[in-house]
Amino acid sequence: MALDYKIGSEKQVAVLNIVKFPDPMLRLKAKPVQTFDKSLQKLIDDMFETLRAAPGVGLAAPQIGQSLRLVVVEYADEEKEDAKPKTYVLVNPEIIKTSEETVMGSEGCLSVPGLAGDVERHEMVTVKAKNRYGQPMKITARGWLARIFQHEIDHLDGILYIDRAKNIYELSDEELAELKD
């Protein structure tokens, strides 16, 4: 599963293979995380490394072949100039509140390369989860971060954005190049 190791720190971090559609793994309901041990911490670190290498803003464990209710997100608020990316680890996440207001937006997915689609999502969500160490937490997210959380949590239930999209289209070479920058 590991493709590349970063050596030079005390931890080795792997870039993992991303499962691509139509792999049946992407359609399974993921199992809850039961144990918060060193192997989970390593998996989380590897998922962040994979996310950065892809590059992307969110990654769910089923996308790297693990049937676990685990999501990592790294996102910088584009509306704030020079905003540094924030990282989020959501273990066993559950959306417990949504806004009535929904917004249409364009989405892509590391597991569905070369395509994008217009998906209607809630403008605001509140997510209950555990952090990487098993401590309970709640996050209220708006805008793109709310969209990212909804997209990634869908992966945990075997749902892909292409199931919700109003239309799906191929990305141009220019759009693909922009994603890699």
Side-chain angles (χ1 to χ4, degrees):
M1 185 186 304
L3 296 175
D4 187 24
Y5 284 93
K6 300 250 177 176
I7 300 174
S9 69
E10 53 197 62
K11 284 195 262 182
Q12 289 188 342
V13 184
V15 174
L16 307 170
N17 288 320
I18 295 175
V19 175
K20 305 286 194 287
F21 178 78
D23 191 303
M25 178 68 181
L26 296 171
R27 295 304 191 174
L28 300 176
K29 187 169 174 75
K31 295 178 173 77
V33 172
Q34 303 289 334
T35 309
F36 293 79
D37 58 6
K38 284 182 184 173
S39 66
L40 179 67
Q41 302 310 313
K42 169 110 174 74
L43 179 62
I44 291 167
D45 293 341
D46 290 349
M47 287 176 67
F48 273 118
E49 193 66 22
T50 304
L51 179 65
R52 292 172 185 136
V57 293
L59 189 65
Q63 291 180 273
I64 47 107
Q66 299 293 317
S67 180
L68 292 171
R69 297 191 72 77
L70 170 63
V71 166
V72 300
V73 172
E74 185 172 65
Y75 174 71
D77 188 343
E78 294 170 353
E79 305 215 351
K80 295 179 183 159
E81 202 171 312
D82 298 330
K84 290 196 180 352
K86 279 188 73 173
T87 59
Y88 302 88
V89 175
L90 306 175
V91 181
N92 301 330
E94 178 186 343
I95 296 173
I96 57 171
K97 185 177 179 187
T98 60
S99 63
E100 284 186 32
E101 181 185 359
T102 59
V103 187
M104 189 69 72
S106 182
E107 293 185 21
C109 182
L110 298 173
S111 291
V112 189
L115 298 176
D118 297 323
V119 180
E120 191 169 5
R121 300 274 188 192
H122 295 281
E123 171 64 19
M124 183 278 302
V125 294
T126 300
V127 177
K128 177 177 85 171
K130 291 186 178 177
N131 69 13
R132 69 184 297 155
Y133 305 108
Q135 301 301 311
M137 59 186 237
K138 262 191 214 176
I139 302 172
T140 298
R142 290 177 173 71
W144 280 104
L145 185 58
R147 177 174 296 279
I148 295 165
F149 285 170
Q150 290 168 86
H151 176 112
E152 299 307 330
I153 292 169
D154 271 355
H155 274 296
L156 304 181
D157 294 320
I159 300 167
L160 301 175
Y161 85 92
I162 55 177
D163 301 326
R164 297 188 186 275
K166 300 289 184 230
N167 61 37
I168 299 169
Y169 47 91
E170 282 189 52
L171 295 172
S172 69
D173 290 342
E174 293 83 26
E175 290 168 316
L176 287 168
E178 232 176 78
L179 290 175
K180 297 221 185 294
D181 287 343

